[in-house]
């Protein structure tokens, strides 16, 4: 290449990199900070400045029109007025108690000052953003930009220096490297602005849950989903339910709904036993303030359970409660043993009638209220949270949409029976590890500034029962402690399917209440085109459309007003939508439709429970969702087995933001499959769901551009759906080292010292990026390395299968069965499940890659021994890449060996067969020898060879 061309290419590369650097540096400064410390709107007459955050606060001027702040909804005015009344009441109590407070300032000392301080504390923000230290974050960003520049020079060299005698290998390697670079960009830049958050539970209590006054905390409905009690043991589900019933939250504000999508009588009976045991367990937990409040995990703790306990009766009561729990376990285990053999005539209930769910694919809807307002009291005579069993109707010929359909049924049932303003869903194996979990979520949801535009609060997943070294990266620490923190600084984390508290209005498909700052043009438009003094027509149309959606998406009606048809409200309803449109959107249930207008939740006290139960049965019928927007715009979105990604994406596309909450004590803990085959099947299901979204109309690459989805948030969603495709170049790249060793070729030509510098700098930047990520996130080096290893293991097995299965499903209509991940407890010893071998075809590709690389290493070393000293230098580069592949697949190799260190014969046979066929075909074809060279070789050999 001429020198001038080389210089021109480099100048273009530097110019492009500079533009990208400017844009992203502006992004880091222009991304709106969601911290209520900096932009907290308390009331139209005052604002608060946190002295710990030296940033100018946005003060709301009462003389201005509220339109300028985006707060012109009637609902907002009513909330502000109620807040004023509440503050005036608090101040009146203080001034009545201390008359001297009327005449002047109250000193900060003494009891009167303490009361005033308490009132002032109640006005403080309920949470704040804890920024990453600037010295760590700025260095991290600089290294990212340097790595991008080095990548540009690296690819400039790779493209302009082909390997002539191994052109095919070189071309494949360059294509793979370009894809890896694109994948890195999609993964890296959403981590540009990571943040941490902390909550103030004491301020929440002062504002909404004062002692001696009725609690003003919002009602919450908690969903627990289960399908197969044989794969999801009832004892695990029972522990999850018990931890919910014992949560630290007003009992009349909590309701627990258990969805049994397998209509199993075993689940029903186990839940009945759980309700009885809860009468003893819940008062014990609250009396002694124990953590966690799932008995199986509380009694299994190897800690000093007497620490911080001062009541002399605690030891005696704990022993009695442990004995009660052991008896409860015996009863549950007896039910499980009985359920192993199904009677020919089907199951019958205690009264002799047949169990309605004997046919799991053809049965009516079932609802049973076990505890709550119907009269369930604990042993101390106190009321317990409501516990409801739900099994939706199933009939042949209807599409039930698996977990997403079950969750939508729970939305409707809960809206009819309790109508909590917020919903929290957990899998049956994810128990409440912290009794404060609901309060943690309410610190964001009930915040006057954040709550109106927050669709959900996502908690990280933490797991019990993982082996010490986390062989298969079950903890997924890198994702939860690095990627999710990065997304929290943009528009919020993705929804991961469990441990998530939702705003019910967001699930109903409404838009958020946006402020004027949220309606600013896209950051990229501002970066490239500058700020406009005069807003163009498209922007004005977009703003008016969003303001219209804002007013219509915050319904201010209650059910009594709708039923009575009060004059004036009828006109407002016609502005929203007609009754026919409401039924087309939500379904034909007047009670459910009325509940959607009650933004604060709750149902009228005069309603008849019997009529509500009848209506609840109606809303879980098979045909209820026909010709409605359920699964399209409302509730959990259909179209993928990973409904969580799709549901969160639709909310973010409408302009909602989500929040990542990571308290010091994990709020939820669950179980994960530590067996290799189960883990790969779990990853296969996730990857298959991503491929389905990629091939659907909801693909983030082309969907939602008329909404308020931020650029970096879109990149993150694109990354979550395209990552399975990386398996194709990854497989090719893992096989390339073995081919180089077998053919004595290489993908890189002989390089000069100048070119070698780029390779060294590239590897150095990769390691520096990883080290700095570990530094600001607090993730350990072992967790990072396990994540890298399993990325290769999953990419060469489950992700590859997901790509082909997804193509078959979307293009050919060949559906794949949904496999429920087993949650069996480890009863055969410490991590016995880790060593169990379960045959699956997912094991064949990575084993084949391992065998080919081992064969290639032997062939390469043998060739070097026969060729002399000069051939050892080029050999080291090839061996380095093969060793890199084998090290990444090492946990997989240990999984194949099992406890006895013996690989199953079927895996060895298949892998050797495939490796042999591939090697023989390669030698026979020999694609790197041209026809001319082949003819010359044959001519030199002659007929006497």
């Amino acid at each position: 290449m001429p020198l001038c061309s080389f210089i021109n290419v480099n100048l273009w590369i530097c110019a492009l990199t500079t533009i990208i650097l400017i844009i992203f540096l502006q992004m880091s400064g222009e991304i709106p900070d969601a911290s209520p410390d900096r932009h907290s709107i308390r009331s139209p007459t005052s604002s608060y400045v946190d002295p710990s955050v030296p940033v100018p606060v946005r003060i709301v001027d009462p003389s201005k029109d509220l339109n300028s702040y985006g707060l012109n909804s009637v609902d907002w005015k009513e909330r502000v007025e109620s807040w004023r009344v509440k503050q005036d009441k608090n101040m009146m109590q203080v001034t009545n108690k201390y008359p001297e407070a009327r005449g002047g300032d109250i000193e900060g000392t003494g009891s009167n000052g303490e009361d005033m301080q308490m009132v002032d504390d109640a006005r403080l923000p309920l949470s704040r953003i804890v920024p990453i230290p600037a010295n760590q974050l700025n260095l991290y960003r600089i290294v990212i930009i340097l790595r991008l520049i080095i990548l540009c020079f690296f690819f400039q060299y790779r493209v302009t220096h082909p390997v002539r005698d191994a052109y095919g290998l070189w071309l494949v390697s360059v294509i793979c490297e370009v894809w890896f670079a694109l994948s890195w960009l999609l993964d890296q830049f959403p981590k540009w602005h990571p943040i941490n958050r902390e909550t103030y539970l004491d301020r929440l209590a002062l504002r909404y849950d004062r002692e001696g006054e009725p609690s003003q905390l919002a009602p919450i409905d908690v969903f627990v989903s289960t399908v197969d009690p044989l794969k999801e043991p009832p004892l695990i589900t029972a522990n999850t339910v018990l931890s919910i019933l014992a949560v630290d939250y007003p009992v009349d504000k909590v309701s627990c709904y258990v969805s049994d999508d397998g209509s199993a009588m075993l689940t029903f009976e186990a839940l009945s036993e759980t309700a009885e045991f809860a009468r003893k367990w819940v008062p014990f937990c609250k009396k002694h303030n124990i953590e966690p409040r799932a008995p199986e995990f509380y009694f299994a703790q190897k800690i000093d359970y007497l620490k911080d306990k001062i009541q002399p009766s605690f030891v005696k009561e704990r022993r009695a409660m442990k004995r009660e729990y052991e008896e409860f376990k015996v009863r549950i285990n007896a039910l499980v043993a009985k359920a192993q053999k199904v009677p020919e005539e089907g199951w019958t209930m205690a009264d002799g009638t047949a169990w309605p769910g004997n046919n799991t694919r053809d049965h009516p809807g079932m609802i049973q209220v076990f505890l709550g307002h119907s009269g369930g009291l604990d042993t101390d005579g106190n009321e317990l949270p409501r516990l409801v069993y739900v099994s939706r109707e199933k009939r042949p010929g209807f599409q039930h949409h698996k977990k997403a359909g079950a969750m939508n049924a729970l939305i409707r049932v809960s809206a009819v029976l309790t109508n909590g303003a917020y919903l929290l869903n957990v899998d049956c194996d994810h128990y409440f590890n912290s009794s404060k979990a609901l309060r943690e979520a309410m610190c964001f949801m009930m915040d006057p500034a954040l709550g109106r535009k927050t669709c959900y609060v996502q908690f990280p997943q933490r797991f019990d029962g993982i082996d010490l070294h986390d062989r298969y990266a079950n903890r997924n620490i890198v994702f939860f402690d690095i990627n999710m923190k990065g997304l929290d600084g943009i528009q919020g984390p993705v929804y991961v399917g469990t441990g998530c508290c939702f705003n019910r209005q967001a699930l109903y498909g409404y838009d958020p209440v946006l402020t004027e700052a949220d309606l600013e043009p896209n950051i990229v438009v501002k970066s490239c085109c500058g700020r406009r003094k005069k807003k163009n027509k498209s922007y004005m149309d977009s703003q008016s459309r969003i303001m219209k959606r804002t007013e219509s998406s915050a319904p201010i009606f209650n059910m009594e007003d709708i039923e009575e048809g009060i004059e004036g409200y009828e006109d407002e309803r016609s502005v929203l939508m007609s009754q026919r449109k409401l039924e087309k959107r939500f379904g034909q249930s007047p009670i459910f439709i009325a509940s959607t207008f009650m933004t604060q939740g709750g149902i009228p006290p005069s309603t008849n429970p019997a009529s509500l139960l009848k209506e609840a049965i109606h809303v879980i019928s098979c045909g209820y969702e026909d010709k409605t927007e359920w699964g399209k715009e409302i509730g959990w979105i259909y179209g993928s087995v990973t409904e969580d990604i799709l549901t969160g994406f639709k909310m973010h596309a409408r302009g909602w933001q989500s929040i990542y909450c990571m308290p010091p004590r994990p709020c939820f803990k669950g179980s994960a499959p530590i067996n290799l085959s189960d883990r790969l099947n779990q990853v296969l299901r996730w990857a298959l769901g991503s491929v389905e979204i990629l091939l659907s109309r909801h693909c983030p690459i082309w969907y939602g551009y008329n909404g308020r989805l931020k650029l970096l948030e879109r990149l993150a969603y694109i990354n979550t759906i395209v990552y399975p495709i990386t398996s194709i170049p990854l497989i090719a790249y893992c096989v390339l080292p073995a081919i180089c060793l077998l053919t004595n070729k290489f993908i890189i030509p002989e390089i000069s010292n100048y070119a070698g510098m780029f390779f060294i700098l590239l590897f150095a930047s990769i390691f520096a990026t990883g080290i700095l990520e570990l530094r600001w996130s607090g993730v350990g080096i072992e967790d990072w390395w396990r994540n890298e290893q399993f990325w290769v293991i999953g990419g060469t097995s489950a992700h590859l299968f997901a790509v082909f299965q997804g193509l078959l499903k979307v293009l050919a209509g060949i559906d794949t069965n949904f496999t429920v991940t087993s949650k069996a407890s480890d009863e055969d010893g410490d991590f016995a499940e880790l060593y169990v071998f379960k045959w699956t075809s997912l094991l064949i590709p990575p084993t084949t890659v391992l065998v080919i690389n081992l064969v290639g290493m032997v062939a390469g070393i043998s060739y070097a021994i026969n060729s002399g000293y000069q051939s050892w230098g080029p050999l080291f580069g090839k061996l380095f890449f093969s060793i890199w592949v084998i090290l990444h697949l090492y946990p997989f190799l240990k999984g194949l060996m099992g406890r006895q260190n013996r690989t199953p014969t079927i895996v060895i046979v298949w892998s050797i067969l495939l490796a042999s066929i591939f090697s023989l075909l390669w030698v026979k074809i020999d694609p790197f020898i041209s026809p001319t060279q082949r003819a010359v070789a044959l001519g030199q050999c002659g007929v006497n060879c």
Side-chain angles (χ1 to χ4, degrees):
M1 170 181 267
L3 180 60
C4 59
S5 300
F6 180 81
I7 294 174
N8 289 333
V9 170
N10 286 339
L11 287 175
W12 278 105
I13 291 173
C14 291
L16 177 63
T17 306
T18 304
I19 293 173
I20 295 174
L21 173 61
I22 292 172
I23 291 175
F24 279 101
L25 284 179
Q26 288 190 2
M27 285 182 180
S28 66
E30 292 283 348
I31 292 175
D33 194 338
S35 172
D37 286 308
R38 302 187 180 187
H39 306 288
S40 61
I41 302 175
R42 187 174 73 251
S43 73
T45 58
S46 61
S47 62
Y48 174 79
V49 179
D50 190 341
S52 65
V53 184
V55 180
V57 74
R58 175 183 175 186
I59 302 178
V60 180
D61 187 353
S63 64
K64 291 185 178 181
D65 185 5
L66 288 179
N67 277 324
S68 61
Y69 299 103
L71 305 175
N72 196 31
S73 67
V74 180
D75 187 40
W76 175 262
K77 295 178 181 178
E78 289 184 352
R79 292 187 67 186
V80 169
E81 188 62 31
S82 65
W83 174 252
R84 281 179 175 175
V85 171
K86 187 183 296 183
Q87 295 305 313
D88 292 342
K89 178 182 177 182
N90 293 333
M91 291 297 297
M92 186 64 69
Q93 290 176 352
V94 175
T95 54
N96 287 338
K97 186 175 181 180
Y98 305 102
E100 65 272 15
R102 297 190 184 99
D105 295 335
I106 298 177
E107 296 181 0
T109 58
S111 59
N112 54 352
E114 292 175 359
D115 285 346
M116 288 300 296
Q117 182 65 35
M118 183 178 297
V119 173
D120 191 50
D121 287 345
R123 300 180 180 183
L124 296 177
L126 302 180
S127 65
R128 77 180 184 99
I129 289 178
V130 183
I132 306 294
N135 60 339
Q136 298 180 10
L137 201 55
N138 291 336
L139 181 60
Y140 174 65
R141 290 170 176 169
I142 291 172
V143 171
I144 292 175
I145 297 300
L146 291 177
R147 181 174 172 182
L148 183 60
I149 296 173
I150 294 169
L151 266 178
C152 294
F153 282 102
F154 171 79
F155 282 119
Q156 186 270 338
Y157 174 82
R158 291 285 282 137
V159 172
T160 57
H161 291 76
V163 182
R164 301 298 179 185
D165 61 341
Y167 192 83
L169 286 178
W170 169 82
L171 182 61
V172 171
S173 66
V174 170
I175 293 174
C176 293
E177 289 163 0
V178 170
W179 180 262
F180 294 151
L182 292 175
S183 299
W184 171 73
L185 289 174
L186 291 175
D187 179 70
Q188 187 65 68
F189 281 110
K191 296 182 283 189
W192 185 263
H193 191 257
I195 60 172
N196 293 313
R197 296 181 188 268
E198 67 178 26
T199 56
Y200 301 106
L201 300 181
D202 53 344
R203 298 178 185 176
L204 179 75
L206 282 174
R207 184 177 296 185
Y208 296 111
D209 195 25
R210 292 176 180 270
E211 188 176 354
E213 299 179 9
S215 176
Q216 300 299 317
L217 290 171
I220 303 176
D221 296 331
V222 184
F223 297 167
V224 181
S225 57
T226 182
V227 179
D228 187 352
L230 298 180
K231 289 186 177 180
E232 301 167 326
L235 188 61
I236 293 179
T237 305
N239 273 271
T240 299
V241 172
L242 289 169
S243 68
I244 296 170
L245 298 178
V247 73
D248 181 12
Y249 207 77
V251 293
D252 59 325
K253 304 281 187 176
V254 180
S255 300
C256 177
Y257 292 82
V258 180
S259 170
D260 177 18
D261 218 31
S263 65
M265 187 173 174
L266 172 58
T267 303
F268 179 84
E269 292 181 332
L271 206 59
S272 178
E273 291 285 350
T274 303
E276 289 300 317
F277 179 70
R279 302 176 192 272
K280 306 171 185 176
W281 173 251
V282 172
F284 171 76
C285 293
K286 294 186 175 182
K287 178 180 179 180
H288 300 290
N289 196 27
I290 65 169
E291 297 283 0
R293 298 188 176 181
E296 181 71 21
F297 303 95
Y298 169 69
F299 291 121
Q301 291 181 114
K302 295 183 172 76
I303 61 172
D304 180 13
Y305 61 85
L306 295 178
K307 185 179 181 181
D308 300 329
K309 303 300 179 186
I310 58 176
Q311 296 188 22
S313 62
F314 173 69
V315 174
K316 181 179 179 181
E317 292 181 16
R318 185 183 186 278
R319 289 173 181 169
M321 184 52 61
K322 187 174 183 179
R323 186 165 54 251
E324 292 280 356
Y325 178 65
E326 295 296 335
E327 294 175 358
F328 169 73
K329 287 176 66 175
V330 170
R331 294 194 295 272
I332 295 294
N333 291 334
L335 293 174
V336 174
K338 177 184 175 183
Q340 299 298 321
K341 186 176 180 181
V342 181
E344 294 182 1
E345 65 278 6
W347 298 108
T348 56
M349 294 187 289
D351 59 358
T353 59
W355 171 247
N358 277 324
N359 188 341
T360 57
R361 298 183 179 181
D362 187 4
H363 65 82
M366 295 177 283
I367 297 177
Q368 175 66 47
V369 180
F370 286 105
L371 297 173
H373 307 291
S374 58
L377 302 177
D378 62 24
T379 53
D380 293 344
N382 299 317
E383 186 178 337
L384 289 168
R386 184 180 299 230
L387 176 61
V388 184
Y389 169 89
V390 179
S391 182
R392 57 180 173 146
E393 181 186 22
K394 287 190 176 181
R395 301 296 181 191
F398 287 89
Q399 178 60 263
H400 301 293
H401 301 290
K402 299 173 182 176
K403 179 181 177 180
M407 299 306 294
N408 284 339
L410 285 185
I411 292 177
R412 298 191 294 271
V413 168
S414 62
V416 171
L417 296 181
T418 53
N419 195 32
Y422 303 101
L423 312 174
L424 189 145
N425 86 289
V426 291
D427 290 340
C428 65
D429 61 322
H430 274 72
Y431 65 91
F432 278 58
N433 185 59
S434 171
S435 61
K436 308 286 186 183
L438 298 183
R439 293 179 180 268
E440 294 280 357
M442 290 303 103
C443 284
F444 302 104
M445 287 299 193
M446 299 189 70
D447 188 282
L450 284 178
R452 303 293 291 174
K453 56 184 178 181
T454 300
C455 55
Y456 59 81
V457 176
Q458 178 66 62
F459 295 87
Q461 292 186 21
R462 299 293 187 240
F463 300 98
D464 289 317
I466 304 296
D467 55 295
L468 181 61
H469 298 290
D470 193 14
R471 180 186 292 179
Y472 305 124
N474 283 284
R475 293 191 180 94
N476 217 352
I477 293 292
V478 172
F479 174 75
F480 285 111
D481 287 18
I482 297 180
N483 295 70
M484 296 286 268
K485 287 182 180 179
L487 291 176
D488 199 20
I490 307 172
Q491 196 175 347
V494 298
Y495 169 43
V496 298
T498 184
C500 187
C501 183
F502 285 94
N503 184 333
R504 190 182 280 269
Q505 297 298 309
L507 284 170
Y508 287 159
Y510 291 123
D511 293 336
V513 177
L514 300 175
T515 62
E516 187 171 330
D518 299 317
L519 302 177
E520 287 290 322
N522 190 282
I523 181 66
V524 175
V525 175
K526 291 195 295 184
S527 300
C528 300
C529 306
R531 298 177 182 271
R532 302 185 184 91
K533 292 184 179 179
K534 183 178 181 180
K535 298 177 181 178
N536 59 24
K537 185 177 183 301
S538 62
Y539 172 63
M540 293 298 294
D541 291 343
S542 174
Q543 188 177 23
S544 62
R545 174 174 56 86
I546 293 174
M547 289 305 297
K548 182 178 179 181
R549 290 188 305 175
T550 298
E551 293 175 2
S552 67
S553 64
I556 56 174
F557 312 107
N558 58 47
M559 185 155 57
E560 296 168 326
D561 295 331
I562 289 177
E563 290 176 347
E564 296 173 6
I566 295 178
E567 185 179 357
Y569 278 27
E570 198 64 32
D571 296 335
E572 295 286 347
R573 286 182 57 204
S574 64
V575 173
L576 295 175
M577 57 183 70
S578 66
Q579 181 66 27
R580 183 175 300 177
K581 289 183 178 179
L582 284 170
E583 291 180 352
K584 184 177 180 180
R585 181 177 178 87
F586 294 110
Q588 296 185 355
S589 172
I591 295 179
F592 174 74
I593 291 174
S595 71
T596 64
F597 291 95
M598 303 176 66
T599 58
Q600 302 304 314
I603 59 175
S606 59
T607 48
N608 183 6
S611 64
L612 291 183
L613 277 176
K614 183 178 179 181
E615 191 68 17
I617 291 291
H618 168 60
V619 298
I620 60 172
S621 59
C622 285
Y624 184 83
E625 295 183 356
D626 290 350
K627 299 180 181 179
T628 67
E629 295 186 9
W630 284 100
K632 301 172 186 174
E633 300 294 334
I634 301 175
W636 271 257
I637 306 301
Y638 304 149
S640 171
V641 295
T642 52
E643 69 290 326
D644 44 8
I645 296 177
L646 205 51
T647 302
F649 171 66
K650 291 277 286 188
M651 293 180 183
H652 283 135
R654 287 196 294 267
W656 290 93
Q657 76 171 47
S658 57
I659 287 175
Y660 195 50
C661 181
M662 282 187 64
R665 180 181 179 87
C667 287
F668 303 93
K669 280 191 175 183
S671 60
I674 62 175
N675 177 266
L676 175 60
S677 300
D678 290 341
R679 174 71 167 136
L680 289 178
N681 277 298
Q682 182 187 56
V683 174
L684 171 63
R685 180 168 60 86
W686 295 343
L688 178 60
S690 295
V691 175
E692 290 173 346
I693 298 174
L694 176 63
L695 301 176
S696 71
R697 75 180 186 91
H698 290 120
C699 177
I701 298 175
W702 52 73
Y703 181 86
Y705 282 96
N706 59 345
R708 304 299 305 174
L709 187 66
K710 296 184 184 297
L711 173 63
L712 294 183
E713 192 80 11
R714 183 179 297 277
L715 292 181
Y717 273 110
I718 292 175
N719 185 47
T720 61
I721 64 163
V722 301
Y723 76 90
I725 300 178
T726 308
S727 61
I728 298 175
L730 182 61
I731 283 277
Y733 212 71
C734 288
V735 173
L736 280 177
I739 297 176
C740 292
L741 289 166
L742 289 171
T743 60
N744 198 29
K745 310 289 184 182
F746 201 43
I747 58 176
I748 302 174
E750 293 186 6
I751 57 178
S752 62
N753 293 334
Y754 174 76
M757 179 181 65
F758 291 114
F759 287 87
I760 295 174
L761 289 175
L762 179 61
F763 284 109
S765 65
I766 292 174
F767 286 117
T769 306
I771 290 171
L772 291 174
E773 276 187 356
L774 301 184
R775 185 184 175 194
W776 65 252
S777 66
V779 175
I781 185 70
E782 184 177 11
D783 291 316
W784 176 83
W785 174 237
R786 284 286 181 261
N787 182 78
E788 294 295 311
Q789 287 180 313
F790 197 78
W791 177 75
V792 176
I793 295 171
T796 56
S797 56
H799 298 171
L800 183 67
F801 277 72
V803 171
F804 292 107
Q805 287 187 14
L807 291 173
L808 288 174
K809 182 176 182 179
V810 174
L811 302 180
I814 302 175
D815 200 356
T816 54
N817 292 327
F818 172 78
T819 303
V820 178
T821 306
S822 176
K823 280 98 176 175
S825 56
D826 191 18
E827 298 177 352
D828 299 326
D830 292 336
F831 312 118
E833 185 73 13
L834 181 67
Y835 306 101
V836 176
F837 176 80
K838 301 177 182 179
W839 163 249
T840 172
S841 55
L842 297 175
L843 302 176
I844 295 177
T847 309
T848 304
V849 171
L850 269 172
V851 172
I852 290 177
N853 276 276
L854 290 173
V855 171
M857 289 179 66
V858 173
I861 294 173
S862 301
Y863 177 82
I865 293 174
N866 294 330
S867 300
Y869 176 78
Q870 69 279 2
S871 61
W872 283 94
L875 176 65
F876 286 134
K878 304 171 187 177
L879 287 178
F880 172 80
F881 285 106
S882 277
I883 294 173
W884 176 88
V885 173
I886 293 172
L887 286 177
H888 277 78
L889 293 175
Y890 179 68
F892 175 84
L893 184 60
K894 289 185 68 176
L896 290 182
M897 297 297 181
R899 192 187 293 271
Q900 290 77 25
N901 291 327
R902 177 177 174 273
T903 304
T905 305
I906 188 172
V907 176
I908 296 176
V909 171
W910 269 103
S911 301
I912 292 178
L913 180 62
L914 290 176
S916 302
I917 293 174
F918 180 81
S919 302
L920 290 174
L921 285 174
W922 188 272
V923 173
K924 179 66 177 177
I925 297 172
D926 203 358
F928 300 120
I929 297 181
S930 64
T932 304
Q933 292 174 327
R934 195 185 305 276
V936 171
L938 291 175
Q940 291 176 350
C941 183
V943 296
N944 296 324
C945 291

